Amino acid sequence: MIYFHIFLAFFIPGILGYGGGPASIPLIENEVVDRYEWMSVNEFSEVLAMGNALPGPIATKMAGYIGYAEGGILGAIVGVFATVAPSLILMISLLGLLMKFKDSPRVKRLTIVVRPVIAVLLGVMTYDFFFSSYEGVGLIQTILIGGISFFLMEKLKVHPAYVIAGSLVYGALVLS
């Protein structure tokens, strides 16, 4: 029964939490803290902080940890699967539908029209990141780090993972 509860605790936020991991965090907190009482609010906030500190999707890491804490290795697997299952099911079904009608002029227009929407979404996210950085480290540091990162990735073709690692080291040594 615990595995079914772990599945529900992460599957329901995965379906309802449209907008990515941050949108589903309050829903996961409701399931884990209020409904199943597996953790206190403080324990949940510690898991959330650890999930934010590590690379990768927050909700998936939290599902793995909380699933493991409640049901061992199988609980972790169930939690992670429940987190990705809604997106996985929709992706497979929508891609199947898209591939079936990929030669249709309507589908071609649809995929062309959706590109500007994706560009706007990425632009809004970029603005949010820039503004958050501006508030955190100031305008000069934000422009300096952004400019150097752009130069390294676009001109010198440095892998983004190395640029991110360099930024982390810079932040730890210079901005602390």
Side-chain angles (χ1 to χ4, degrees), residues 90-148:
L90 284 173
M91 189 78 174
I92 290 171
S93 60
L94 289 176
L95 269 179
L97 196 63
L98 188 65
M99 288 299 134
K100 184 176 179 181
F101 297 105
K102 70 179 182 183
D103 294 327
S104 164
R106 285 187 174 174
V107 171
K108 287 182 179 179
R109 282 194 306 264
L110 182 141
T111 56
I112 290 172
V113 169
V114 80
R115 288 181 188 154
V117 174
I118 294 170
V120 168
L121 289 172
L122 291 173
V124 168
M125 186 177 71
T126 302
Y127 172 78
D128 289 342
F129 285 171
F130 182 84
F131 190 73
S132 172
S133 177
Y134 167 72
E135 287 183 333
V137 297
L139 183 61
I140 293 173
Q141 292 290 340
T142 299
I143 291 173
L144 181 70
I145 294 169
I148 291 172

Side-chain angles (χ1 to χ4, degrees), residues 35-73:
R35 183 171 185 187
Y36 294 110
E37 298 178 348
W38 291 329
M39 295 183 161
S40 68
V41 173
N42 285 341
E43 291 168 332
F44 185 83
S45 68
E46 291 171 0
V47 173
L48 178 60
M50 183 61 81
N52 271 324
L54 298 172
I58 297 169
T60 309
K61 290 179 284 187
M62 293 181 71
Y65 176 78
I66 295 169
Y68 179 78
E70 294 304 314
I73 297 290

Side-chain angles (χ1 to χ4, degrees), residues 1-91:
M1 195 65 170
I2 186 68
Y3 301 115
F4 183 67
H5 287 162
I6 292 170
F7 181 82
L8 286 180
F10 293 100
F11 187 75
I12 292 171
I15 289 176
L16 300 176
Y18 185 78
S24 64
I25 297 301
L27 301 171
I28 293 172
E29 191 264 347
N30 180 61
E31 296 292 321
V32 170
V33 174
D34 298 332
R35 183 171 185 187
Y36 294 110
E37 298 178 348
W38 291 329
M39 295 183 161
S40 68
V41 173
N42 285 341
E43 291 168 332
F44 185 83
S45 68
E46 291 171 0
V47 173
L48 178 60
M50 183 61 81
N52 271 324
L54 298 172
I58 297 169
T60 309
K61 290 179 284 187
M62 293 181 71
Y65 176 78
I66 295 169
Y68 179 78
E70 294 304 314
I73 297 290
L74 186 56
I77 292 169
V78 168
V80 169
F81 176 73
T83 302
V84 299
S87 298
L88 183 66
I89 292 167
L90 284 173
M91 189 78 174

Side-chain angles (χ1 to χ4, degrees), residues 149 158-173:
S149 299
V158 175
H159 193 277
Y162 296 122
V163 176
I164 292 170
S167 297
L168 289 171
V169 170
Y170 177 79
L173 296 177

